[in-house]
Amino acid sequence: MRLLRRRAPVWGLLLVLCQLGPAAQAVEPISLGLALAGAAASALTGFISYPRLYCYFTECCLQRPGARAGAVLEQELDRKLFGQHLVKKVVVKAVTGFLNNADPKKPLTLSLHGWTGTGKNFVSKIIAESIYEGGLNSRYVHNFVSTLHFPHRQNITQYKDQLQMWVRGNVSACARSVFIFDEMDKMHAGLIDSIKPFLDYYEQLDGVSYRKAIFIFLSNAGAEKITEVALDFWRSGKRREDLGLRDLESSVSVSVFNNKNSGFWHSSLIDRNLIDYFIPFLPLEYKHVKMCVRVELESRGYEVDEEIVTQVADEMTYFPKEERIYSDKGCKTVYTKLDFFL
């Protein structure tokens, strides 16, 4: 089906030739060439002016409608993300609702917090893939890593100017641009405030509207507070799934705001309530690590061997020292440890 569609312009030119028929023989080669060029240009104009057809051949800004993107997002999170009931609930509702809103008042801003290996990067990847088929490789998805793109404190003024320029230029090209900022806990304090105007409730800034863009921040900051609350829940005999966003969101935002080692330290983004959701990633338990191992086995084409699953999970280290409830690296090293047992 796709191959036939890609050749549609060629068949269109052949149809023009057939319609010319014998008359074409009486036409000079140059005149015939000009006629065909005109017909091709006309066909191309019509092709480009029909957005759905044009976007079939090349990536377009907002490739998937909101409802479809939301369905893809929910399905992928259900299949691949373990132990994060709060994340699934908040992310699906927030992203789907935002994409379905034809006239949002501000960009969507999500701040994901938790220990390494709990799924922050994984979820940002799934969000990108639910909106654009190219995911993180899409021309409309922009990934910034603090230690890579903003390494030197003495250059912070230059970084601020560059960051504003990058955001402005990309949103001008595509209103539905997605920006992911990784390692916010390693970003120099004050730098992220340079994009504060773009996240605010402005209809336009210098002729550009930022209201349909999505900003996602990833950070280990706040992980201690999340673990503290989760552990208290466990010690009280309460179910992990009974933890609500209200139990964590406020304390996480305060913890991040007051953390001097965080890029959000005393940030105007928090002070001005421009972060829509602080999303906590709970530390993963032994059973969740085993789930990660099973999925990885299946993704490599192996049948699930519970003996191997248990061996890999047992190789991980857990905390606190006495109870050994949570994996200190989440599922991050599951993939490399699995190699040893295959």
Side-chain angles (χ1 to χ4, degrees):
M1 182 69 72
R2 178 169 295 184
L3 184 59
L4 288 176
R5 289 187 181 182
R6 287 186 181 276
R7 291 182 177 176
V10 177
W11 293 120
L13 289 178
L14 288 177
L15 181 60
V16 171
L17 281 171
C18 291
Q19 289 174 341
L20 287 173
Q25 299 174 5
V27 182
E28 295 179 9
I30 295 178
S31 300
L32 178 59
L34 290 174
L36 289 177
S42 177
L44 183 60
T45 301
F47 170 69
I48 293 176
S49 64
Y50 190 60
R52 287 190 178 179
L53 184 58
Y54 176 72
C55 294
Y56 181 84
F57 291 88
T58 186
E59 185 180 44
C60 288
C61 181
L62 186 54
Q63 197 165 37
R64 288 193 177 106
R68 186 181 167 205
V72 171
L73 176 61
E74 184 171 16
Q75 181 182 30
E76 289 300 290
L77 290 177
D78 284 340
R79 287 179 56 240
K80 299 177 180 178
L81 185 69
F82 307 116
Q84 305 295 356
H85 66 285
L86 290 174
V87 177
K88 290 180 182 179
K89 181 179 179 181
V90 177
V91 167
V92 170
K93 287 189 174 182
V95 174
T96 304
F98 181 73
L99 294 177
N100 285 331
N101 186 350
D103 186 28
K105 302 305 178 187
K106 66 178 291 297
L108 176 64
T109 52
L110 308 175
S111 193
L112 315 185
H113 298 268
W115 290 120
T116 297
T118 52
K120 300 185 301 296
N121 288 89
F122 190 54
V123 168
S124 65
K125 176 176 178 287
I126 293 177
I127 293 174
E129 291 173 346
S130 70
I131 301 173
Y132 295 109
E133 289 183 5
L136 297 178
N137 295 320
S138 168
R139 72 181 74 179
Y140 305 121
V141 177
H142 314 282
N143 203 354
F144 299 95
V145 180
S146 295
T147 52
L148 174 64
H149 294 102
F150 317 111
H152 307 297
R153 183 180 297 276
Q154 65 268 26
N155 294 337
I156 190 169
T157 300
Q158 178 185 347
Y159 294 152
K160 286 182 177 181
D161 293 338
Q162 290 176 340
L163 189 52
Q164 285 189 341
M165 181 179 65
W166 288 335
V167 172
R168 185 184 302 112
N170 285 302
V171 174
S172 298
C174 174
R176 192 66 82 186
S177 291
V178 179
F179 300 92
I180 301 172
F181 293 87
D182 196 5
E183 298 184 345
M184 281 298 302
D185 49 304
K186 297 179 177 65
M187 181 179 283
H188 305 300
L191 173 56
I192 200 63
D193 286 351
S194 65
I195 66 169
K196 183 260 180 188
F198 306 141
L199 273 59
D200 217 325
Y201 290 82
Y202 296 113
E203 187 171 346
Q204 286 189 350
L205 289 172
D206 295 329
V208 180
S209 174
Y210 298 86
R211 291 182 168 189
K212 292 186 177 181
I214 297 176
F215 293 82
I216 304 173
F217 306 100
L218 315 181
S219 177
N220 288 354
E224 297 89 349
K225 177 58 67 175
I226 294 170
T227 300
E228 178 186 324
V229 174
L231 196 55
D232 286 344
F233 240 66
W234 183 85
R235 287 171 175 164
S236 300
K238 298 178 182 179
R239 294 173 64 250
R240 175 190 184 95
E241 290 73 21
D242 291 334
L243 260 172
L245 190 62
R246 65 183 178 279
D247 297 311
L248 285 161
E249 188 173 32
S250 178
S251 57
V252 169
S253 65
V254 171
S255 173
V256 171
F257 184 77
N258 292 319
N259 187 338
K260 291 185 178 181
N261 297 318
S262 167
F264 279 131
W265 182 61
H266 288 184
S267 171
S268 61
L269 273 60
I270 299 177
D271 189 45
R272 300 293 183 179
N273 298 311
L274 296 178
I275 305 294
D276 297 313
Y277 298 96
F278 287 90
I279 304 176
F281 282 67
L282 302 176
L284 298 181
E285 300 175 8
Y286 181 80
K287 62 181 179 182
H288 302 128
V289 173
K290 294 181 78 171
M291 291 177 182
C292 292
V293 179
R294 292 188 189 103
V295 168
E296 181 61 17
L297 278 169
E298 291 175 343
S299 71
R300 297 189 187 189
Y302 293 99
E303 290 186 6
V304 174
D305 184 328
E306 288 300 326
E307 184 177 347
I308 291 179
V309 170
T310 300
Q311 287 176 327
V312 174
D314 288 345
E315 279 292 308
M316 308 292 282
T317 54
Y318 298 85
F319 71 97
K321 187 175 182 180
E322 298 78 18
E323 294 98 333
R324 298 185 75 250
I325 306 168
Y326 304 123
S327 169
D328 62 359
K329 295 180 182 176
C331 284
K332 190 164 188 176
T333 59
V334 159
Y335 320 106
T336 53
K337 289 187 178 297
L338 181 57
D339 293 336
F340 182 79
F341 295 96
L342 292 177

